[in-house]
Amino acid sequence: MRPILDSLLEYLEGSPTAAHTGSISADILDKGGFARLEPGDHWKTVPGGRYYTMYSRSTLAAFILGGSPPSESGFRIIGAHTDAPGLFLKSEPYFYKEGLATLGIEVYGGPLLTTWFDRDLGLAGKAVGTDGTVALYSIREPILRIPSPAIHLNREVNRKGFRANPETEIHPVFSTVDEYPALRSLVAGAAGMKPEEMAFFSGELVSLEKPVLAGINREFLVASRIDDVASCHAALQALVRV
């Protein structure tokens, strides 16, 4: 059981975004003897063959052919989604006000907004080069933080609950000066590009807390993006272990 758990922890750690989940999944399939098929090609397959195809960086399908037609032998299907609720950067995210350089975010899915406050945050996503190439990046450093108001500015929070407007009150802070060019350079470097080679980038806020087994007996798996990345991992393990 422990090898499976170690594999799941590594998989969760390597999946800060849906695109990263797709990439690490493809690596697992490659190592598991699956041949990659391109969506636009004419596929040549053989009975018993192991194949996968990627329709985007975050969407893939893998399959193992049986020895007889599905109409005779039947088939089994398992599905899971690679995305998870979170906070995404807006297309024009930079926002500088009252001495703070911040970023505008969009809420994706149904995340628990209060859990994003007062914690170390990194950034991960895709960078697009001026030549059209796309590269994944992941900055695992505490470059962002969403600070919550001090208690004397929100005295009713413990009685009425914490509420935050994503448009006006959830702006991750990354500097006290106008440093958007520096942030852009940091993203380009993480994507393996020079700043002048990067046309634009997308990003998702990433918690820097690593997936762990918690509790006195290590019986609890604690991780962000566990829904539904854990199911992606289970599906992959079922395929590669056949």
Side-chain angles (χ1 to χ4, degrees), residues 11 24-25 28-29 60 62 231-241:
Y11 188 78
I24 195 173
S25 298
I28 291 173
L29 291 170
L60 59 80
S231 295
C232 294
H233 179 266
L236 285 169
Q237 294 300 312
L239 282 169
V240 300
R241 291 170 181 268

Side-chain angles (χ1 to χ4, degrees), residues 30 33 35 121 155 200 231:
D30 287 334
L121 300 173
R155 293 189 180 279
F200 61 91
S231 295

Side-chain angles (χ1 to χ4, degrees), residues 116 119-122 140 205-210 224:
W116 289 90
R119 65 195 308 176
D120 294 336
L121 300 173
R140 297 303 181 92
L205 274 60
V206 178
S207 170
L208 298 187
E209 295 173 321
K210 292 185 177 182
S224 59

Side-chain angles (χ1 to χ4, degrees), residues 3 14 16-17 22 56 59 61 70 78 86 88 94 105 113 135 138 149 170 177 186 188-190 202 219 227 232:
T17 72
S56 71
T59 306
I78 182 171
F88 289 25
Y94 182 61
I105 59 95
L113 295 179
S138 181
I170 304 182
V177 294
L186 184 63
S202 63
E219 64 263 57
D227 175 18
C232 294

Side-chain angles (χ1 to χ4, degrees), residues 87 111-119 121 146 162 207 209:
L87 304 181
L112 295 170
L113 295 179
T114 56
T115 64
W116 289 90
F117 282 76
D118 302 318
R119 65 195 308 176
L121 300 173
I146 306 173
F162 185 83
S207 170
E209 295 173 321

Side-chain angles (χ1 to χ4, degrees), residues 145-225:
R145 180 170 284 265
I146 306 173
S148 61
I151 186 64
H152 59 276
L153 298 177
N154 193 10
R155 293 189 180 279
E156 299 297 313
V157 63
N158 291 326
R159 189 169 65 86
K160 295 184 177 180
F162 185 83
R163 297 180 180 180
N165 185 324
E167 290 294 327
T168 60
E169 298 174 303
I170 304 182
H171 291 286
V173 176
F174 66 90
S175 180
T176 58
V177 294
D178 190 346
E179 284 285 9
Y180 187 60
L183 176 65
R184 195 175 183 279
S185 295
L186 184 63
V187 169
M193 301 179 181
K194 296 179 180 179
E196 62 272 16
E197 295 174 340
M198 186 176 70
F200 61 91
F201 67 93
S202 63
E204 301 178 33
L205 274 60
V206 178
S207 170
L208 298 187
E209 295 173 321
K210 292 185 177 182
V212 296
L213 296 178
I216 194 169
N217 296 313
R218 301 295 186 267
E219 64 263 57
F220 304 115
L221 174 60
V222 181
S224 59
R225 291 180 51 81

